[in-house]
Amino acid sequence: MAIQSTLRPSQERVAQLVNAYAKHRPLVQRALTAAFVVYVISTTFRGFTAKPASKRKGKGKDAESSSKPRVAVDALFYQRLSRILRIVIPSLRSKEAMLLCMHSSLLIFRTVISLYVAALDGKIVASLVRAQPVPFLLNILRWLLVAIPATWTNSWLSYVQNKLALAYRTRLTQEVMKQYLGDENDPNDVKVFYKLANLDDRIKNPDQMITHDIQRFSTHLAAIYANVAKPVLDVILYNYQLSQNVGAEGLVLLTVLVQASAALLRALTPPFGQYTALSAQLSGNFRHTHSRLAEFAEEIAFFGGEETEKMLVEREYSGLVKHEDRVLRRRWWHGCVEEGIVKWLWGSFGLCICAIPVFFKLPGVAALDMGGRTEGFVTNRRLLLSSSDAFGRVMYSYKDLQELAGYTTRVALLLETMEDVKKGKFEKALVSSASIEENAKILKGRGVVYESDEIEFENVPIVTPNGDILVRSLSFYVKPGQHLLIVGPNGCGKSSLFRILGGLWPVYGGIVRKPPADQFILIPQRPYLSLGTLRDQVIYPHSKEDMERRGITDDDLLEILAVVQMEHIVEREGGWDAAREWREALSGGDQQKIAWARLFYHKPKYAVLDEATSLVPPDMEGMMMEHATRLGITLLTVSHRPSLWKYHSMILQYDGQGGYVFTKLDAEKRLALQQEKEALDLKLLEV
Ligand SMILES: Nc1ncnc2c1ncn2[C@@H]1O[C@H](COP(=O)(O)OP(=O)(O)OP(=O)(O)O)[C@@H](O)[C@H]1O
């Protein structure tokens, strides 16, 4: 009796509580659903703003990873991404913003269709269970009708996503090219493409970054929107619908279970972003080795260097394959764990949730017949499948996001390095002598450059990009008409002088006075021949339109070619518009003569000749020098040939030990002395 009397009040209390709960259930449901929405959004956001792995680990790891570009889905990634986003979506009225808007509308429309299809599916099965042919046929008709917008939406989605990727790529490529090759309207033409390769160590293969990494980045960025925004929206919408059917309590339980297993999965996910960045870098190196092989095929073939080249190519390839292999293995086991959790574990949770309205009577919900229960089960199951698929995609999108982080790092590295290079900030390994106090002082300094009609160096140090000081303080001048001969041993800094003059290397001290870059033309030993027609080779870098604007015709060009005795090649190669790989079509000497023809076409104030006549016969060389002088071009010549002395009035002679002499050149006297010296040397040998 005593036990009965203690049980009854507690049972009554439970019954009271259940009644109170049933009364306030709609309110509780609403609160739970709202909490769920907030939770999904905040966990997704937190998932995407995870701390970088290096921060969680010890200090030693930090130090090790600091040499590599950091790849993590962290604040730095979002900062870089938002910077790139401003480039690819410049304004809300841009084509890209319109495409993105269209993409979002299509994504929402697809979810709405899926919700409708889930309900329709339930109705079709319910009419089957109830054996009602008319509603069944009507629902089948609805099914067929909804297929029209559903298929239309899917096709449009993939079309718009690809268009978006292409639009991003175009914007980014245009921006990079503007910085890389300079802007026509930019008065400070800083030759980033040269400095990136020669004065900075950070980027090994810009070609790979511009052609491949930007494309991969754009594709990932276009897809990430569909992979993140859409699944988050889907999770919310499907679960909202589900909570209406099975009760928000079940949904909360499901969320707790799913989140716990998702956290486990996330902890097990390897750093795929880092792998992507490394993979891009390694395949860039591999491609670079192959392009060098193709570029220097002739030299390698003559040397018989196939074995060495094979070894180099194989070394790069095996590095790449080893890395890809490791990534594949990690992807394999990660894929197993991922599918096990996302598909199978969550699937079983889902089935349990679907069973709630069948086994338990939810307060405030009327009892259902068999058809109603079947309809509810089929609809809920479909919603659950879609929801778990969407949640799975949120999980996968973390992986996508990591890959995007990998490409973002590469693209951002390119943009940031170009920006630094533009500002004159370089990162390059320096020679050991650069740290000596006296040298370090020179390296820290900067000189000034003035525009002038003449060329003058006043106490300018000649310093290589890796901090090697070739000459501490160089002073010389070149006045118009006073041709300068530059001589000295190999590697003493003769060509480096031209690099400073052309603005390619920084001026570390003193004063440089020089005319603007368009008043110089350089003819190196192996002249550059562009892709294009024969005419393009002579007028490079002008276009045909530029040439016509200058009032020059093809006949004038023929006359110029006649000066270098090359007029016959116009007919031989099939006219001015013939296009070839000119580096292979012309011999070394012919290439030099074309470069001289180019000089005569442009008629600049100054010409820089770096062993520019080494491959042409001496009589031709004399004719070309005299013609240049007649055109009023002042020559700065590097040559070891005494036959050229007589065309110059000044000489700058390096001693190869950091010293130099700058003086008037008396060619006859120098030649006589040289002959006397050779005779004495011969006599000495005889003795
Ligand atoms: N991009 C670069 N980065 C680092 N060092 C460089 C670079 N270009 C040239 N150097 C170095 O600068 C030094 C001088 O080179 P430079 O081309 O001026 O020699 P040079 O006097 O013209 O020799 P040569 O007569 O053999 O052509 C060399 O030691 C060379 O290794």
Side-chain angles (χ1 to χ4, degrees):
M1 274 312 268
I3 295 169
Q4 252 187 358
S5 61
T6 50
L7 264 180
R8 233 175 247 143
S10 64
Q11 275 175 345
E12 268 171 24
R13 221 172 297 135
V14 171
Q16 272 172 0
L17 276 175
V18 169
N19 276 345
Y21 181 70
K23 212 168 115 196
H24 294 105
R25 192 166 172 262
L27 201 69
V28 176
Q29 292 270 315
R30 242 172 276 149
L32 284 176
T33 311
F36 173 79
V37 171
V38 173
Y39 179 73
V40 170
I41 294 174
S42 66
T43 45
T44 312
F45 182 74
R46 246 185 293 129
F48 292 161
T49 49
K51 294 269 173 299
S54 56
K55 272 196 185 166
R56 284 189 230 125
K57 288 174 187 162
K59 273 190 174 170
K61 192 85 187 165
D62 256 352
E64 181 196 296
S65 58
S66 65
S67 59
K68 285 184 205 158
R70 213 172 78 193
V71 181
V73 182
D74 59 359
L76 180 65
F77 160 68
Y78 286 105
Q79 197 184 322
R80 284 172 164 169
L81 187 63
S82 75
R83 186 187 158 199
I84 300 175
L85 278 178
R86 279 198 295 275
I87 296 172
V88 296
I89 311 175
S91 76
L92 288 178
R93 290 202 178 162
S94 62
K95 180 179 132 197
E96 291 74 14
M98 298 291 165
L99 280 170
L100 206 57
C101 193
M102 204 167 150
H103 199 221
S104 316
S105 316
L106 285 166
L107 287 174
I108 295 172
F109 187 55
R110 199 171 70 172
T111 305
V112 171
I113 290 183
S114 303
L115 284 172
Y116 177 75
V117 168
L120 192 59
D121 200 11
K123 280 187 190 138
I124 290 174
V125 178
S127 55
L128 267 180
V129 171
R130 287 181 188 132
Q132 296 170 321
V134 179
F136 174 75
L137 285 176
L138 271 177
N139 285 330
I140 290 289
L141 191 66
R142 283 194 194 111
W143 181 273
L144 286 174
L145 284 176
V146 86
I148 299 168
T151 46
W152 179 88
T153 315
N154 280 339
S155 267
W156 259 101
L157 260 176
S158 86
Y159 173 76
V160 172
Q161 186 170 316
N162 288 330
K163 282 286 279 185
L164 201 56
L166 208 59
Y168 288 159
R169 184 181 178 185
T170 309
R171 286 264 184 211
L172 212 49
T173 308
Q174 276 170 352
E175 173 65 24
V176 167
M177 291 312 287
K178 202 166 90 187
Q179 307 224 17
Y180 191 59
L181 284 176
D183 194 349
E184 257 185 291
N185 311 317
D186 186 358
N188 304 319
D189 185 11
V190 284
K191 316 240 181 268
V192 170
F193 65 98
Y194 173 85
K195 294 181 180 172
L196 212 56
N198 288 282
L199 309 190
D200 202 285
D201 280 344
R202 276 173 285 180
I203 291 178
K204 293 275 180 293
N205 31 37
D207 53 333
Q208 156 94 358
M209 284 180 153
I210 296 170
T211 56
H212 178 259
D213 295 351
I214 288 185
Q215 183 257 331
R216 300 297 300 148
F217 169 82
S218 307
T219 311
H220 271 74
L221 184 63
I224 204 83
Y225 180 69
N227 290 347
V228 175
K230 161 88 164 77
V232 170
L233 181 75
D234 282 2
V235 168
I236 293 170
L237 287 181
Y238 289 134
N239 283 296
Y240 174 76
Q241 191 63 40
L242 201 61
S243 72
Q244 302 294 303
N245 301 349
V246 300
E249 304 86 344
L251 194 65
V252 170
L253 182 69
L254 180 71
T255 309
V256 171
L257 291 172
V258 164
Q259 284 299 329
S261 45
L264 176 75
L265 188 57
R266 215 168 272 158
L268 292 175
T269 304
F272 286 116
Q274 209 148 351
Y275 297 164
T276 308
L278 190 59
S279 195
Q281 189 187 333
L282 290 173
S283 55
N285 294 351
F286 176 53
R287 214 166 67 174
H288 181 63
T289 332
H290 259 295
S291 51
R292 283 190 84 251
L293 177 61
E295 191 181 345
F296 300 104
E298 190 174 297
E299 288 87 340
I300 295 167
F302 272 120
F303 271 114
E306 292 88 333
E307 277 308 310
T308 313
E309 295 301 321
K310 205 160 124 197
M311 192 262 293
L312 291 174
V313 169
E314 278 173 0
R315 192 176 65 190
E316 294 298 340
Y317 184 69
S318 80
L320 174 67
V321 163
K322 220 158 111 190
H323 170 72
E324 294 291 347
D325 225 26
R326 194 167 65 121
V327 176
L328 274 185
R329 275 198 305 275
R330 302 232 163 140
R331 271 193 205 283
W332 174 82
W333 71 251
H334 182 257
C336 289
V337 176
E338 196 172 50
E339 189 173 328
I341 292 179
V342 172
K343 201 164 165 187
W344 299 99
L345 191 65
W346 293 359
S348 67
F349 292 162
L351 284 171
C352 295
I353 295 294
C354 289
I356 293 176
V358 179
F359 294 120
F360 301 97
K361 189 192 162 320
L362 294 174
V365 177
L368 295 169
D369 68 338
M370 171 113 140
R373 280 207 300 272
T374 316
E375 178 180 341
F377 177 77
V378 171
T379 305
N380 293 344
R381 208 174 125 70
R382 215 172 221 283
L383 285 174
L384 250 167
L385 282 180
S386 305
S387 165
S388 78
D389 178 54
F391 195 77
R393 267 184 289 134
V394 174
M395 291 290 306
Y396 292 133
S397 67
Y398 184 69
K399 206 165 60 182
D400 288 337
L401 205 67
Q402 281 198 333
E403 283 193 22
L404 178 69
Y407 287 115
T408 307
T409 309
R410 300 270 294 165
V411 175
L413 179 70
L414 180 65
L415 289 171
E416 284 161 16
T417 314
M418 286 200 295
E419 215 161 81
D420 279 356
V421 163
K422 268 179 127 175
K423 286 187 205 146
K425 280 196 225 158
F426 306 110
E427 278 183 27
K428 193 159 174 89
L430 297 182
V431 290
S432 56
S433 62
S435 55
I436 301 170
E437 200 183 328
E438 206 182 335
N439 293 358
K441 211 169 133 195
I442 293 183
L443 289 173
K444 270 198 208 122
R446 279 288 180 275
V448 274
V449 180
Y450 294 117
E451 207 172 295
S452 155
D453 262 357
E454 298 172 4
I455 296 174
E456 188 172 0
F457 274 44
E458 230 181 280
N459 304 320
V460 179
I462 302 217
V463 184
T464 69
N466 44 19
D468 195 6
I469 296 171
L470 301 173
V471 180
R472 284 188 178 278
S473 170
L474 177 70
S475 300
F476 74 93
Y477 59 81
V478 183
K479 296 212 158 92
Q482 280 188 352
H483 308 304
L484 174 72
L485 181 72
I486 304 168
V487 289
N490 296 121
C492 65
K494 301 184 293 292
S495 312
S496 308
L497 180 69
F498 301 148
R499 292 181 192 120
I500 297 178
L501 208 54
L504 303 182
W505 285 9
V507 181
Y508 281 94
I511 301 169
V512 173
R513 291 192 183 84
K514 63 180 183 102
D518 61 356
Q519 304 205 2
F520 286 101
I521 285 241
L522 168 77
I523 308 188
Q525 188 169 9
R526 203 176 172 196
Y528 174 68
L529 296 175
S530 70
L531 289 174
T533 62
L534 180 59
R535 184 188 303 103
D536 292 336
Q537 307 314 308
V538 180
I539 64 177
Y540 184 83
H542 279 185
S543 62
K544 194 179 171 199
E545 291 70 38
D546 292 330
M547 177 185 107
E548 284 164 358
R549 226 172 290 132
R550 285 182 68 191
I552 295 180
T553 61
D554 285 349
D555 289 339
D556 298 328
L557 290 189
L558 201 65
E559 272 175 34
I560 292 176
L561 276 193
V563 175
V564 293
Q565 298 177 358
M566 286 280 284
E567 68 275 33
H568 58 277
I569 68 155
V570 180
E571 208 180 308
R572 188 186 81 192
E573 299 296 338
W576 284 109
D577 289 311
R580 303 246 183 297
E581 181 51 87
W582 295 104
R583 224 167 40 163
E584 276 140 36
L586 298 175
S587 71
D590 282 351
Q591 290 182 29
Q592 281 193 342
K593 288 199 237 165
I594 289 283
W596 277 87
R598 193 181 288 164
L599 177 72
F600 300 149
Y601 163 82
H602 284 286
K603 290 188 237 166
K605 266 204 178 124
Y606 293 93
V608 172
L609 312 175
D610 198 347
E611 299 287 356
T613 54
S614 56
L615 301 173
V616 296
D619 57 328
M620 187 75 238
E621 168 188 272
M623 258 158 39
M624 293 194 305
M625 297 291 273
E626 275 162 18
H627 190 71
T629 313
R630 269 200 300 280
L631 291 178
I633 303 169
T634 306
L635 308 172
L636 283 79
T637 314
V638 170
S639 176
H640 295 293
R641 282 191 180 181
S643 56
L644 284 183
W645 292 355
K646 60 174 179 278
Y647 303 106
H648 300 86
S649 51
M650 303 298 286
I651 184 166
L652 176 65
Q653 181 160 6
Y654 291 84
D655 64 5
Q657 310 294 319
Y660 71 94
V661 177
F662 172 62
T663 182
K664 275 206 171 109
L665 171 64
D666 186 338
E668 273 177 32
K669 205 167 155 192
R670 192 176 167 91
L671 214 56
L673 282 173
Q674 168 102 352
Q675 279 163 359
E676 201 176 320
K677 182 176 169 262
E678 277 168 12
L680 283 173
D681 282 345
L682 205 68
K683 261 193 194 152
L684 196 64
L685 269 179
E686 283 169 8
V687 171

